[in-house]
C-alpha cells in the first residue's frame, strides 16, 4: 500500500515537471520582445530573354544570419535550384536576385524563393510563373535614302534588332557603280551600342555606291542594300546685258558630265495640295545641255529672257552612270518693269 502511494506521487511530480518545462519563456531580443520569424517573399522574373532570366525576391532575416536560394522548373515540382547565398543578419528587408540559364524559348517556368537561418527556420515564398521569351532573330534596319555630293562625307545609320543585338560586332561593305563588284569591307569594323543602334561614317563618296552592313558572326546577317547617290557639284553665274531682262546663265559641273540636262528653275510659291504641305517649289523655266570643257569639269551656258523675277537655280541631271543629280546655290534675277499702257 505504501509503495503504491510512492509510485503515484512520483508520477504526479514528473507530470508537474514536464508541464513546467513546456511553459518556460522563450528567448527574447535585447528589447525584451519575441523575435519575428524569418520571412521570404517571391518577387518577379526580370530580364527574361530567350534562354535566361533573373529571379528576384525579398528576404527579412530579422537579426538572425540567413541565406536564400530559388527553386525553379517547368512545373510546381521545380527540379532545379540556384546556389545558396547569404543575406546577412540585418533587421531590414533585403532585395535579392539570381540568374537562371538554359531556358527553352517559349516554355513556361515555375519558381519560388526559399530562405533558411542559423536558428533552423525555413521560409518559402509563393509559387510564381513566367514564360521564356521566344528568341527573336537578328535583323537590320537601315536608312533608305542617302544623298551626298561627290567627294563629301556622309553617315550611314541603322539598328540591329533581335536577341543579343547590343554590342554586336559589325562591318560596312560597299560595291561602287555599276554595282558589279562583290561587296567588300571598307574602313574598320564597328559595333552596335547597348540598344543595337549603329553609325558608319564614309569620308569620301566618289560615285554612286551600294552599301550594306554585316554582322561578324560565323553565320553573318546582312542588312538590306542601300544606294548612296553621289550628286555633282554645280555652280551658277549671271551676266547681264544692256537689254532689260536679257541675261546669260552659265556655270560648271564637277565631275564632268557631258550631255547632262540643265534645268534653270524658279522658286515660286504654291498652294498645298493633297498630302503635301509645301508652300513653295522649284519650277523649270529654261533648259540646255552640258558641254565638255576639261577632263574633270564641264560647262553650260544659255541666254534667257527673264519675265518673272525671283530666286533661280541650275539643276543638272546626268545620264545614267556613276553620278546623280545636283543643283547650284540660288541667284536672284529681276524681271524688267512692266510697260505702262497708253491712255
Amino acid at each position: 500500500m505504501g509503495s503504491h502511494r510512492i509510485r503515484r506521487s512520483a508520477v504526479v511530480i514528473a507530470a508537474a515537471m514536464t508541464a513546467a518545462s513546456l511553459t518556460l519563456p522563450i528567448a527574447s531580443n535585447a528589447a525584451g520582445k519575441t523575435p519575428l520569424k524569418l520571412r521570404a517573399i517571391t518577387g518577379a522574373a526580370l530580364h527574361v530573354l530567350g534562354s535566361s532570366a533573373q529571379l528576384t525576391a525579398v528576404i527579412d532575416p530579422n537579426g538572425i544570419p540567413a541565406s536564400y536560394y530559388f527553386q525553379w522548373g517547368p512545373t510546381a515540382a521545380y527540379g532545379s535550384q540556384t546556389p545558396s547565398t547569404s543575406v546577412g543578419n540585418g533587421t531590414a528587408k533585403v532585395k535579392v536576385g539570381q540568374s537562371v540559364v538554359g531556358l527553352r524559348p517559349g516554355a513556361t517556368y515555375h519558381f519560388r524563393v526559399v530562405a533558411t537561418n542559423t536558428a533552423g527556420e525555413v521560409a518559402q515564398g509563393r509559387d510564381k510563373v513566367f514564360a521564356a521569351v521566344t528568341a527573336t532573330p537578328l535583323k537590320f534596319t537601315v536608312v533608305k535614302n542617302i544623298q551626298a555630293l561627290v567627294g563629301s562625307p556622309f553617315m550611314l545609320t541603322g539598328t540591329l534588332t533581335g536577341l543579343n543585338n547590343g554590342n554586336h560586332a559589325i562591318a560596312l561593305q560597299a560595291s561602287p557603280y555599276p554595282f558589279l563588284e562583290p561587296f567588300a569591307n571598307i574602313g574598320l569594323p564597328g559595333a552596335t551600342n547597348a540598344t543595337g543602334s549603329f553609325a558608319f561614317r564614309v569620308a569620301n563618296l566618289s560615285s554612286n555606291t551600294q552599301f550594306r552592313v554585316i554582322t561578324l558572326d560565323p553565320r553573318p546577317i546582312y542588312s538590306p542594300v542601300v544606294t548612296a547617290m553621289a550628286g555633282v557639284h554645280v555652280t551658277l553665274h549671271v551676266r547681264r546685258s544692256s537689254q532689260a531682262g536679257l541675261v546669260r546663265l552659265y556655270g560648271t559641273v564637277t565631275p564632268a558630265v557631258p550631255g547632262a540636262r540643265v534645268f534653270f528653275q524658279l522658286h515660286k510659291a504654291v498652294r498645298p495640295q493633297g498630302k503635301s504641305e509645301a508652300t513653295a517649289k522649284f519650277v523649270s523655266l529654261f533648259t540646255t545641255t552640258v558641254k565638255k570643257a576639261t577632263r574633270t569639269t564641264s560647262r553650260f551656258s544659255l541666254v534667257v529672257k527673264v519675265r518673272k523675277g525671283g530666286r533661280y537655280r541650275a539643276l543638272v541631271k546626268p545620264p545614267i552612270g556613276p553620278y546623280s543629280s545636283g543643283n547650284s546655290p540660288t541667284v536672284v534675277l529681276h524681271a524688267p518693269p512692266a510697260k505702262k499702257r497708253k491712255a
Side-chain angles (χ1 to χ4, degrees), residues 65-106:
S67 300
Y68 78 96
Y69 58 87
F70 289 96
Q71 294 176 324
W72 63 279
T75 68
Y78 307 112
S80 298
Q81 179 177 312
T82 64
S84 180
T85 303
S86 172
V87 290
N89 61 347
T91 57
K93 295 179 180 179
V94 181
K95 294 182 179 180
V96 297
Q98 288 185 340
S99 296
V100 293
V101 297
L103 306 180
R104 184 165 54 89

Side-chain angles (χ1 to χ4, degrees), residues 237-272:
H237 306 280
V238 181
R239 181 174 297 167
R240 293 171 173 80
S241 67
S242 58
Q243 185 176 344
L246 193 66
V247 299
R248 178 181 294 277
L249 301 177
Y250 65 98
T252 61
V253 183
T254 308
V257 284
R261 298 291 294 170
V262 182
F263 298 88
F264 299 100
Q265 298 180 318
L266 169 65
H267 194 247
K268 61 181 296 185
V270 296
R271 184 171 62 182

Side-chain angles (χ1 to χ4, degrees), residues 108-134:
T108 299
Y109 290 90
H110 291 252
F111 74 102
R112 71 177 178 185
V113 68
V114 179
T116 62
N117 63 18
T118 55
E121 293 179 321
V122 178
Q124 296 176 341
R126 292 182 180 180
D127 177 81
K128 289 194 175 183
V129 178
F130 72 94
V133 176
T134 302

Side-chain angles (χ1 to χ4, degrees), residues 236 249-250 262-266 283-288 300-302 304 312-315:
L236 176 61
L249 301 177
Y250 65 98
V262 182
F263 298 88
F264 299 100
Q265 298 180 318
L266 169 65
V283 179
S284 297
L285 298 183
F286 318 106
T287 183
T288 187
F300 59 85
S301 177
L302 182 68
V304 300
Y312 282 77
R313 74 176 186 181
L315 172 66

Side-chain angles (χ1 to χ4, degrees), residues 127-147:
D127 177 81
K128 289 194 175 183
V129 178
F130 72 94
V133 176
T134 302
T136 304
L138 291 173
K139 181 181 179 180
F140 278 108
T141 302
V142 292
V143 292
K144 294 182 179 180
N145 299 316
I146 297 177
Q147 300 284 341

Side-chain angles (χ1 to χ4, degrees), residues 142-169:
V142 292
V143 292
K144 294 182 179 180
N145 299 316
I146 297 177
Q147 300 284 341
L149 293 176
V150 174
S152 300
F154 72 92
M155 299 294 292
L156 191 153
T157 61
T159 305
L160 178 64
T161 60
L163 188 63
N164 299 323
N165 63 325
N167 303 311
H168 206 105

Side-chain angles (χ1 to χ4, degrees), residues 11-69:
V11 171
V12 172
I13 294 172
M17 293 178 63
T18 302
S21 65
L22 292 176
T23 57
L24 287 174
I26 60 176
S28 60
N29 58 17
K33 298 180 180 180
T34 302
L36 297 175
K37 291 183 179 180
L38 174 66
R39 293 182 179 181
I41 302 172
T42 305
L46 304 178
H47 309 299
V48 182
L49 301 176
S51 60
S52 64
Q54 184 182 41
L55 309 182
T56 67
V58 175
I59 309 298
D60 190 349
N62 281 306
I64 303 175
S67 300
Y68 78 96
Y69 58 87

